[in-house]
Amino acid sequence: MIGTAGLGNMRCLIGERLNVVEGAGMTRGLIETDCLFCKIVTGEVPATIVRDSERTLAFRDINPQAPTHVLVIPKDHHPTASALAASDADLLAEVLLEAHGVAAAEGVAETGYRVVFNTGPQAGQTVFHVHAHVLGGRALEWPPG
């Protein structure tokens, strides 16, 4: 479903920066109040959604580097791929499955696509909410950047 992210009436249950929340489209999870991607999950910041599952969200990158450039995030806040792997390997697997689902839906699964996790400042991570970049629709050079 393509649309704008939003969980409707969110209810914060505890916390200061990290809040446990309940709402439509999200059973329970951690949200960091100052995180751009958490704000997309809660609907505070609009995004063009391409896939929305119980625990993940996929939306178009606002600065695309390829004809297909979609970000896949867990709805729970985890700052990096390594932090997510250490705390919830099943959720990391869901993010990768959704990345493949994005590639299939975008028509690039057969011709090829790249999944990138930038982890840390030197790798180019600028939003510290783990996200997979799904890139495709053109020949991708190696090595990148």
Side-chain angles (χ1 to χ4, degrees):
M1 174 175 72
I2 297 175
T4 300
L7 296 179
N9 295 324
M10 297 294 295
R11 185 167 57 97
C12 292
L13 301 177
I14 64 170
E16 294 174 41
R17 281 184 60 100
L18 287 177
N19 299 310
V20 176
V21 297
E22 290 183 289
M26 182 179 199
T27 53
R28 290 177 63 88
L30 294 176
I31 298 293
E32 182 164 335
T33 56
D34 292 332
C35 173
L36 173 63
F37 290 172
C38 287
K39 289 178 179 183
I40 289 173
V41 169
T42 64
E44 292 176 63
V45 172
T48 303
I49 306 303
V50 296
R51 290 178 70 87
D52 188 352
S53 74
E54 183 178 336
R55 299 202 319 155
T56 67
L57 189 67
F59 52 91
R60 298 207 183 279
D61 194 295
I62 62 169
N63 185 27
Q65 302 300 303
T68 293
H69 190 169
V70 174
L71 305 179
V72 181
I73 66 169
K75 290 180 178 178
D76 285 356
H77 183 86
H78 298 271
T80 63
S82 58
L84 178 56
S87 67
D88 193 340
D90 290 340
L91 181 53
L92 179 57
E94 286 183 47
V95 170
L96 286 172
L97 284 169
E98 284 300 311
H100 175 70
V102 165
E106 296 285 313
V108 298
E110 295 297 320
T111 57
Y113 62 97
R114 184 174 291 164
V115 177
V116 177
F117 288 91
N118 296 324
T119 301
Q122 284 197 321
Q125 185 177 6
T126 57
V127 177
F128 286 84
H129 182 127
V130 63
H131 52 286
H133 294 259
V134 180
L135 299 141
R138 68 169 174 83
L140 299 169
E141 302 294 320
W142 194 260

